[in-house]
Structures are given as C-alpha cells and as structure tokens.
Amino acid sequence: METKMFKTATTDLAAAAELIKKGQVIAFPTETVYGLGADATKESAVKKVFAAKNRPSDNPLIVTVANVEMVKRFVSEIPAIAEKLIANFWPGSLTIIMRYNEGALSPIVTGGLPTVAFRLPENEVTRQLITLADTPIVGPSANTSGKPSPTTAQHVWHDMHGKIAGIIDDGATAVGVESTVIDITTDVPTILRPGAVTQEALEAVIGAVNSEHRKVGADETPKAPGMKYRHYAPDVPVYMVTPDQWPAAIIWAQQQLEPVGIMATDEIIEANHLAGMDFVWSLGTDVTTANAKLFAGLRYFDERDDVETILVHHFADEGVGLAYNNRLGKASSGQYFDVEM
Ligand code: TXA
Ligand code: MG
C-alpha cells in the first residue's frame, strides 16, 4: 500500500477524512503522541489498526472524539465525575474510562470490556480531522507494538509506511508522552497510566484518586490491559541514571568498547563536558522538555547500529516526573546504572 503524506491545510485534512470514511487507516497528530486513526464504528477499519501495529487483540483502543456529543453516541448518561473531569481537562491530555451502552461499540474496540476509554485532544488538527470524518476514531499510539510512541511524522513513517493509507504531518508533538488514563468506574477513581495531567491536578477537581501504575507487580493482573506488555523498548539495554550517578556513569561509558548512548539534561551535559559530542542526546532543561524528547532519543539510538547500551537520566518521582519515569521504567525494564555493573 502506498502511504500518502498529508500536511495540515484544510484540503489535506478533508482528503484524509475521506479516507477514514472509506474505512482506511490514517495516522494523526495529537499534543501527546501521534495516533493511528480509523472509524471507531467500523469493525473492518479497526481490525486494520491492530494489523498495522501488530497489537494483541485483547488490548483495547481509545476512542478519540472532537466534542462531548460524540461520547453521548455511546453513553446514555455521562457520570458526574466525568462531567467534572471534562469541564476541567478537555480538550487535553486526559483519557477517561467509563461504561458504555451495551452493544454500542464493537468488542474489537473495547477488548470485550464493559468499559471504554474516551479522549478529546487539545490539538486542533486532531479535532478538525474527526469533525470532517464525522465519526469518532480509534487512536492508539502510531508505533509498532512494543516500540516507543511516535512524536514526529517521520517516526510514524518509519514504523507504518506501506501499512496504512496516510500520515498527517503536524511536526513534533508538544507533550511527548501519552495521555493520563483514569478509570472512573472504580469506587475510588484510578489512574492507570500517568501523563501530563497529574494526580494532584485530578484530586483538586474530584477528590481522592488512586494510582494503579504505582503498584502493579509482575504477578498481579494489570488494570489497563496494555500494562502487561513490554513497552518502549529499544533492542539494546537501557539503564536509568540518577543525577548523582552521572559522573560514575560517564567514566563507565568511556571505558566500554562499544559506544554508549547518553540521554541527559543540558545541565549534566555541560557539567561533564559532553556538549556537541556524538552519542549524546539532550533532554533539554527539565522534566517537561525531557518528556517531549524521551521517545525520540530512544528511537534515535535504536536506529544507530553502533550503540550497544543507552544511559538515560532519571528524574524525581513527582508531578510529570511520574509519567516520565513510568515510560523510562518500561524501556529499561526497571534497571538502574550501577558502578558495579
Ligand atoms: O495520548 C494518547 O493517549 C495517545 C494518543 C494517540 O491519543 N494514544 C494512546 O493509545 O496512547 P494506546 O492505545 O497506545 O494506549 C491506551 C491505553 C492502553 O494501555 C490500553 O490498554 C488502555 O489505554 N485502555 C484502553 N481502553 C481501556 C479500558 N476500557 N480499560 C482499561 N484500559 C484501557
Ligand atoms: Mg501505545
């Protein structure tokens, strides 16, 4: 299949929306990461998304909408908690899991669950596309299953060219990690995946919130089906480096026979005289810029056949650092750099 590249002009979006209406798959930008879009009400179209991503069929998809009216096509009454979350965080990087009317969505979308994940992105291009297609679209991240989510159209092209009908190029995404996922069907609402909308921000609006992602162990069944699969993983080992460990880690890196990729903040790069060197990927100034640059760096080093190990800066477990450490923890299988290694 020939994959067409689209820009964000209205004529381009209209052409892409036509393809969605015809049951084709189009990769679309959001403010978090790029998604793989297809008509959420057409089983044959949704099946193509699973095939393109090579995604396990029991891992449900997000339904991406352009307005709240589209949610009401599947849900007879929006729960009060959801109303509050919608009023405060939509459009934005928050995905809300709620119950839907029996039979209103294909089990292919929901993995057969009685719940469905809705997301109304901040990115205007996304909303324009959905409005033009006049249908909610499924929107998993547009990567091959198990690889880092794409934050540029080029990342999507790398994983998806030849497999989908088109890609809309809106440049690099601003946030860089996927949306916060909250399940409001539990007694206490539960964060299944941390993102730019933090637990503190959610609690300020709806009161106590649990976070499932902080306690899932290997022997527990994860609440978000996606949590049980290996994620974001380059082919070579990734180690997390706490700020105090960088001097030792850099000495270790220089002693290795094969090049080691280093992903660190500008401060660490400058303090250790690494600026402008090969094998160095800047995460910018702080945890917010690091979220935006993390996946691109992992992909960059994964593509370089010479790099045999990747060392990545670990941030404090607070605020949007939780989203960052969650993704990095998966990419590294939880391994920290250690002078003994
Ligand atoms: O930022 C995002 O959310 C991006 C952009 C493209 O919108 N999308 C995204 O989709 O990250 P995906 O499919 O890669 O991640 C959605 C996560 C998966 O871990 C999935 O298992 C979980 O949400 N999920 C979806 N529906 C669910 C449900 N009904 N119950 C529990 N978890 C669900
Ligand atoms: Mg994903």
Side-chain angles (χ1 to χ4, degrees), residues 235-270:
D235 291 332
V236 298
V238 175
Y239 295 96
M240 302 184 272
V241 183
T242 52
D244 59 306
Q245 287 290 317
W246 271 117
I250 288 162
I251 292 170
W252 178 87
Q254 285 161 349
Q255 288 165 346
Q256 303 310 300
L257 295 177
E258 306 285 353
V260 174
I262 289 178
M263 295 172 59
T265 58
D266 291 338
E267 197 185 330
I268 299 286
I269 290 171
E270 271 148 42

Side-chain angles (χ1 to χ4, degrees), residues 212-231:
E212 183 77 18
H213 62 92
R214 291 186 183 186
K215 58 174 195 225
V216 171
D219 51 344
E220 287 174 90
T221 306
K223 249 317 269 350
M227 288 161 100
K228 72 184 178 209
Y229 302 106
R230 187 157 185 251
H231 257 107

Side-chain angles (χ1 to χ4, degrees), residues 17 21 35 82 115 150 192 247 275 304 314 336:
K21 282 186 174 178
T115 57
L192 301 183
R304 290 189 58 151
H314 181 273
Y336 285 89

Side-chain angles (χ1 to χ4, degrees), residues 33 53 55 59 140-143 146-147 149 178 193 231-232:
V33 301
K53 278 184 66 74
R55 178 166 172 127
N59 192 0
S141 51
N143 51 288
K147 286 294 166 189
S149 295
E178 307 86 342
R193 181 175 71 184
H231 257 107
Y232 312 124

